[in-house]
């Protein structure tokens, strides 16, 4: 089989430390399973080992990927091996496992094997499956957002410079990746001042009759109205391409030469414009911090570990320039080493992102050769994966490592502060311990229309945005504007689903699915509704409270309702009060934002969208022919049939739709 591109490695530490070590063990057929006389081994581990022994007999004798599966179908672990059968044999020992592996073996009730042709294919497939299934015993890369690029288009006589994210479907030159939107916006602003390239959309460009404001403030050369010829504009475009391709020194020298010539000819205005462009180029490079002298292109990864947590700092260098950095905090067991975590992380990272010609690491990884082969095959060029020990490459790694340590320190401090706030919240509402999952609910609507409910979630790491949810109010029995009815529907749907879910034997360190505390934005009425819904759902062990705005809606004068207590207030400067306000404000922001997006969509809805079979292309053809949806509705059948791109069957469908509407 041909697996998807990219994969990591997350081998348990006791598995003889690598593929080569596993291969040195005797053949499974010649090596009987270990003795079962380990009286101190927990019964659950014995059961798991018995299951693994049964599947081990049928494991493939070659490269492949294996999955360990729990009773409820959850994938516990995805691993790869040069010889799957030998690797699986390492799990059949009754003793000597670290706690993480012992728990994984105990929970295993079945295994699935996939054979592939090469180790590289196994690496790619493993990473892809980890990203899809998110097994709780693997190292997981939590942030897989795409990176922004700078695009200089090639689909117009006057090319546009723009920020780009996603698939590269537009013809042009892409420069990146940049580590953040902030970094690419900063670079775009400076590039516009340095090279005067247009950033406007095509429709804006085509309809200009005089130069826009960007021309007036010297951030565009004005090709739209002929302020610069297309040939001269092409020179600016090529200079920008050269600069982003690493020829920054030659571009600056050329501009400096032109500025000197203009000054000698007493063309002081032109000389001043060239001076400003040189200053803009200096601003780009000055804002980038560390810029390598001898490393043209590299991705740098450094990993730091403290208090059982990991931080991986990634730097991206292209064209001898620093294009930003990003911090990652992968989910990994504290018993793993920095090299093991980095090994697994890299294959998952490059499953989505292109690599540089050189990948520099703070720690050597066992699968560096496999990763090199996979990246080289994917990019169709040679890629080096190394952990440098000296020279400028080592300096870049040390710089990334310092940033990783600092980022991890900040993260640990933030989490400690968050834990203190959660502990204070637990004391305020009488919980036996600090809540690990807090859910906050709010509603939003406009006169009862486009009503939605919103749920935000907070935990030890702050706001857990991946767990946020919105609920479109579906019930037709609710009177428009009935906040109690909307809250009832939202909570009923949320807790009915929670009650139906099969309880999973989840990792105790994983973020829980069931809340410890539910906060409602509202007063006594909303609290009573929520309490009734919780009782009807049968979900137990969830504390409930509501937050009523104070007199004159002043922050700091909120009144709280909780089970078994009279309404109460908190001292004005209590940190727990500020924390509750943050939670409520985040729920309000999320609810309002979602509602506005839905309302905007309704406002911009076109009657043509209601016709089944009318996609964007046909919709565009109809609007171009008749000017508006009203024009289409009034058109005769014969006129619709003459529309370019519309056949007779489609014309009849559109005509019948609007005739039925009459």
């Amino acid at each position: 089989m041909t697996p998807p591109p990219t994969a990591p490695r997350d081998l348990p530490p006791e598995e003889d430390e690598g593929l080569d070590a596993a291969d040195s063990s005797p053949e499974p057929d010649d090596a009987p399973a270990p003795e079962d006389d380990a009286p101190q081994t927990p019964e659950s581990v014995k059961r798991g080992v018995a299951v693994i022994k049964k599947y081990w007999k049928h494991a493939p004798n070659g490269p492949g990927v294996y999955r360990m599966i729990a009773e409820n179908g959850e994938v516990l672990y995805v691993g790869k091996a040069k010889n799957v059968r030998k690797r699986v044999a390492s799990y059949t020992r009754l003793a000597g496992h670290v706690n993480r592996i012992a728990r994984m073996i105990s929970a295993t009730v079945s295994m699935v094997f996939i054979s592939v042709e090469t180790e590289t294919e196994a690496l790619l497939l493993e990473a892809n499956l980890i990203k899809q299934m998110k097994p709780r015993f693997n190292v997981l890369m939590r942030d897989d957002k795409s990176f922004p690029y700078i695009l200089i288009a090639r689909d117009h006589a006057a090319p546009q410079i723009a920020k780009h994210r996603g698939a590269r479907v537009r013809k042009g030159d892409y420069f990146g990746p940049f580590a953040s939107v902030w970094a690419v916006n900063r670079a775009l602003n400076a590039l516009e001042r340095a090279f005067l390239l247009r950033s406007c959309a095509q429709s804006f460009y085509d309809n200009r009759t005089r130069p826009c404001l960007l021309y007036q403030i010297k951030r565009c050369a004005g090709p739209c109205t002929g302020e610069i010829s297309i040939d001269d504009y092409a020179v600016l475009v090529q200079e920008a391409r050269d600069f982003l391709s690493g020829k920054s020194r030659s571009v600056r020298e050329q501009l400096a030469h032109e500025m000197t010539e203009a000054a000698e000819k007493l063309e002081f205005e032109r000389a001043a414009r060239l001076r400003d462009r040189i200053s803009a180029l200096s601003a780009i490079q000055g804002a980038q911090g560390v810029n390598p002298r001898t490393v043209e292109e590299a991705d740098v990864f450094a990993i730091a570990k403290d208090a059982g947590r990991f931080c991986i700092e990634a730097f991206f260098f292209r064209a001898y320039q620093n294009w930003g950095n990003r911090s990652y905090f992968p989910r990994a067991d504290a018993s793993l080493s920095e090299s093991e975590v980095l090994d697994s992380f890299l294959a998952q990272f490059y499953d989505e992102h292109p690599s540089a010609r050189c990948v520099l690491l703070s720690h050597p990884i066992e699968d560096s050769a496999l990763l090199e082969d996979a990246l080289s095959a994917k990019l169709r060029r040679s890629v080096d994966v190394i952990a440098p020990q000296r020279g400028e490459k080592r300096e870049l790694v040390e710089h990334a490592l310092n940033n990783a340590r600092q980022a991890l320190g900040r993260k640990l401090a933030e989490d400690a502060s968050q834990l203190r706030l959660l502990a204070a919240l637990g004391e305020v509402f009488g919980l036996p311990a600090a809540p690990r999952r807090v859910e906050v609910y709010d509603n939003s609507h406009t006169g009862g229309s486009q009503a939605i409910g919103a749920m935000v979630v907070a935990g030890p790491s702050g706001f857990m945005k991946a767990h946020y949810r919105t609920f479109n109010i579906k019930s037709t029995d609710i009177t428009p504007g009935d906040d109690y009815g909307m809250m009832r529907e939202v909570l009923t749907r949320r807790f009915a689903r929670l009650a139906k879910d099969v309880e999973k034997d989840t990792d105790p360190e994983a973020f829980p699915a069931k809340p410890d505390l539910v906060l409602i934005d509202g007063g006594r009425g909303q609290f009573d509704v929520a309490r009734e819904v919780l009782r009807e759902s049968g979900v137990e062990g969830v504390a409930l409270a509501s937050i009523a705005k104070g007199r004159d809606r002043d922050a700091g004068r909120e009144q709280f309702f909780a089970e078994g207590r009279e309404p109460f207030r908190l001292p004005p400067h209590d940190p727990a009060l500020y924390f509750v306000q943050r939670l409520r404000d985040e729920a309000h922001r999320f609810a309002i934002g979602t509602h506005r997006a839905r309302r905007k969509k309704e406002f911009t809805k076109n009657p043509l969208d209601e016709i089944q079979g009318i996609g964007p292309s046909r919709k565009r053809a109809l609007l171009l022919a008749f000017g508006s949806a009203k024009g289409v509705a009034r058109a005769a059948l014969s006129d619709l049939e003459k529309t370019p791109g519309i056949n007779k069957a489609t014309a009849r469908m559109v005509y019948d739709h609007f005739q039925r509407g009459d």
Side-chain angles (χ1 to χ4, degrees):
M1 64 176 293
T2 303
T6 321
R9 155 177 170 71
D10 179 30
L11 295 178
E14 77 281 21
E15 292 186 1
D16 299 328
E17 297 297 322
L19 299 177
D20 294 335
D23 291 338
S24 65
S25 61
E27 289 294 329
D29 293 332
D30 301 330
E35 296 294 330
D36 292 341
D37 55 353
Q40 296 182 352
T41 302
E43 290 299 321
S44 58
V45 175
K46 290 183 179 179
R47 287 195 300 269
V49 166
V51 168
I52 293 172
K53 284 181 180 178
K54 182 179 68 173
Y55 282 90
W56 163 71
K57 296 176 182 177
H58 307 288
N61 233 333
V65 173
Y66 60 93
R67 281 176 281 171
M68 306 177 82
I69 301 172
E71 186 175 3
N72 57 15
E74 175 195 5
V75 176
L76 299 169
Y77 181 80
V78 175
K80 69 160 188 344
K82 185 177 181 179
N83 188 307
V84 175
R85 202 169 187 194
K86 291 180 179 179
R87 175 55 49 80
V88 173
S90 67
Y91 293 109
T92 59
R93 297 195 302 267
L94 285 173
H97 300 296
V98 298
N99 184 52
R100 178 178 73 101
I101 302 304
R103 285 190 286 116
M104 182 177 75
I105 292 174
S106 299
T108 300
V109 299
S110 65
M111 298 185 73
V112 174
F113 305 109
I114 301 176
S115 296
V116 295
E117 296 296 326
T118 65
E119 292 178 79
T120 302
E121 288 186 4
L123 178 75
L124 299 176
L125 179 57
E126 181 199 33
N128 192 272
L129 292 176
I130 289 174
K131 294 194 72 174
Q132 288 180 21
M133 300 175 176
K134 296 180 170 48
R136 55 186 163 105
F137 288 99
N138 282 94
V139 174
L140 295 183
M141 187 183 79
R142 300 195 190 195
D143 183 1
D144 57 355
K145 295 177 183 175
S146 62
F147 291 101
Y149 284 73
I150 287 178
L151 165 66
I152 299 181
R154 289 184 179 270
D155 54 4
H156 193 272
Q160 173 197 21
I161 187 170
K163 175 175 60 181
H164 177 84
R165 192 194 292 269
R168 301 184 183 186
V169 295
R170 190 174 177 187
K171 186 179 179 182
D173 299 306
Y174 294 84
F175 301 94
F178 288 81
S180 65
V181 173
W182 175 82
V184 78
N185 285 340
R186 180 193 64 199
L188 274 175
N189 289 337
L191 287 168
E192 287 174 10
R193 290 189 289 116
F195 299 107
L196 308 178
L197 302 189
R198 73 177 185 93
S199 57
C200 57
Q202 191 58 47
S203 58
F204 186 85
Y205 179 93
D206 292 338
N207 291 289
R208 296 305 299 174
T209 57
R210 58 180 182 176
C212 66
L213 180 61
L214 289 177
Y215 174 81
Q216 306 297 339
I217 63 175
K218 297 182 175 57
R219 284 181 55 177
C220 179
C224 54
T225 56
E227 309 303 321
I228 184 175
S229 68
I230 293 298
D231 290 340
D232 290 341
Y233 185 78
V235 173
L236 296 177
V237 172
Q238 189 56 48
E239 288 177 350
R241 287 196 182 105
D242 290 343
F243 180 83
L244 291 170
S245 299
K247 302 175 183 177
S248 56
R249 181 177 298 177
S250 62
V251 172
R252 292 182 60 166
E253 289 175 353
Q254 178 62 29
L255 292 178
H257 177 70
E258 292 178 13
M259 181 180 69
T260 303
E261 280 188 348
E264 290 174 352
K265 295 178 182 179
L266 305 183
E267 298 174 356
F268 299 118
E269 289 187 7
R270 180 168 176 264
R273 289 196 297 270
L274 291 166
R275 177 203 62 200
D276 293 342
R277 292 179 60 192
I278 294 172
S279 298
L281 294 181
S282 300
I284 296 175
Q285 293 181 311
Q288 289 171 336
V290 176
N291 287 311
R293 301 177 301 278
T294 60
V295 180
E296 178 182 0
E297 181 179 313
D299 293 339
V300 181
F301 295 90
I303 182 168
K305 179 180 181 181
D306 191 11
R309 299 284 296 276
F310 297 89
C311 174
I312 297 176
E313 194 74 18
F315 274 80
F316 307 101
F317 296 95
R318 299 292 187 274
Y320 301 100
Q321 300 172 36
N322 177 6
W323 283 359
N325 60 295
R326 183 181 292 185
S327 301
Y328 294 88
F329 301 94
R331 194 192 81 188
D333 192 88
S335 64
L336 296 175
S337 67
E338 289 94 328
S339 295
E340 289 173 312
V341 174
L342 187 59
D343 201 346
S344 285
F345 172 88
L346 286 173
Q348 294 178 59
F349 179 87
Y350 284 123
D351 186 46
E352 296 289 341
H353 309 304
S355 75
R357 291 187 179 92
C358 184
V359 179
L360 306 179
L361 308 178
S362 61
H363 294 69
I365 61 173
E366 187 172 348
D367 281 341
S368 59
L370 283 180
L371 188 61
E372 283 182 352
D373 292 343
L375 296 180
S376 299
K378 184 177 179 181
L379 297 179
R380 298 179 181 176
R381 64 184 185 188
S382 177
V383 176
D384 295 324
V385 179
I386 58 175
Q389 300 301 313
R390 61 183 66 86
E392 187 181 35
K393 291 179 179 179
R394 185 61 198 178
E395 292 175 6
L396 296 177
V397 169
E398 288 293 341
H399 178 69
L401 189 56
N402 288 334
N403 278 267
R405 290 168 179 153
Q406 294 171 13
L408 183 56
R410 290 192 297 269
K411 180 67 172 175
L412 291 173
E414 291 170 3
D415 288 355
S417 175
Q418 184 78 1
L419 288 171
R420 287 195 296 271
L421 290 172
L422 288 171
L425 199 64
E427 291 180 9
V428 166
F429 294 110
L431 273 65
R436 294 187 60 212
R437 180 184 178 113
V438 180
E439 294 182 357
V440 192
Y441 293 85
D442 194 12
N443 297 326
S444 184
H445 59 90
T446 301
S449 63
Q450 286 90 46
I452 65 104
M455 175 186 83
V456 303
V457 182
S461 298
F463 288 113
M464 314 293 287
K465 296 192 176 182
H467 295 262
Y468 285 17
R469 296 292 182 269
T470 56
F471 302 83
N472 293 325
I473 304 301
K474 301 176 180 178
S475 177
T476 57
D477 299 331
I478 298 176
T479 304
D482 181 3
D483 286 335
Y484 296 164
M486 287 187 286
M487 185 61 70
R488 179 185 297 277
E489 178 178 334
V490 168
L491 294 177
T492 298
R493 286 163 57 185
R494 160 64 179 145
F495 286 99
R497 181 170 183 177
L498 184 63
K500 289 179 181 177
D501 286 343
V502 178
E503 286 293 330
K504 295 182 179 180
D505 180 22
T506 57
D507 184 349
E509 297 180 2
F511 191 64
K514 189 177 82 170
D516 301 302
L517 174 64
V518 169
L519 294 176
I520 306 297
D521 185 13
R524 169 65 72 181
Q526 280 90 344
F527 176 79
D528 291 339
V529 168
R531 180 172 55 184
E532 184 181 345
V533 171
L534 279 174
R535 287 175 180 170
E536 292 173 354
S537 70
V539 176
E540 299 178 350
V542 177
L544 174 68
S546 68
I547 317 155
K549 297 179 179 64
R551 185 181 302 172
D552 301 324
R553 305 175 75 86
D554 287 344
R557 305 178 68 179
E558 289 87 350
Q559 191 174 35
F560 296 91
F561 297 87
E563 188 73 32
R565 298 175 62 178
E566 293 295 321
F568 63 96
R569 290 189 174 91
L570 293 177
H573 301 294
D574 191 328
L577 175 61
Y578 292 138
F579 185 45
V580 170
Q581 290 171 350
R582 278 177 53 206
L583 295 172
R584 179 199 60 197
D585 293 345
E586 173 67 3
H588 192 61
R589 178 202 65 79
F590 184 57
I592 290 289
T594 306
H595 168 68
R596 285 176 176 168
R598 184 179 175 189
R599 187 176 62 186
K600 181 179 179 181
K601 186 177 180 180
E602 289 294 325
F603 284 161
T604 58
K605 194 172 182 180
N606 193 297
L608 295 176
D609 296 332
E610 300 174 3
I611 308 176
Q612 195 171 15
I614 299 296
S617 299
R618 289 174 174 174
K619 177 181 170 183
R620 189 181 306 113
L622 290 167
L623 292 176
L624 286 174
F626 299 100
S628 67
K630 276 189 177 180
V632 177
R634 294 170 181 166
L637 177 59
S638 58
D639 293 330
L640 290 170
E641 291 174 347
K642 296 175 185 176
T643 305
I646 303 297
N647 57 34
K648 289 187 177 182
T650 304
R652 167 60 69 178
M653 183 170 56
V654 173
Y655 181 78
D656 290 344
H657 173 82
F658 287 111
Q659 293 302 311
R660 286 196 301 271
D662 294 340

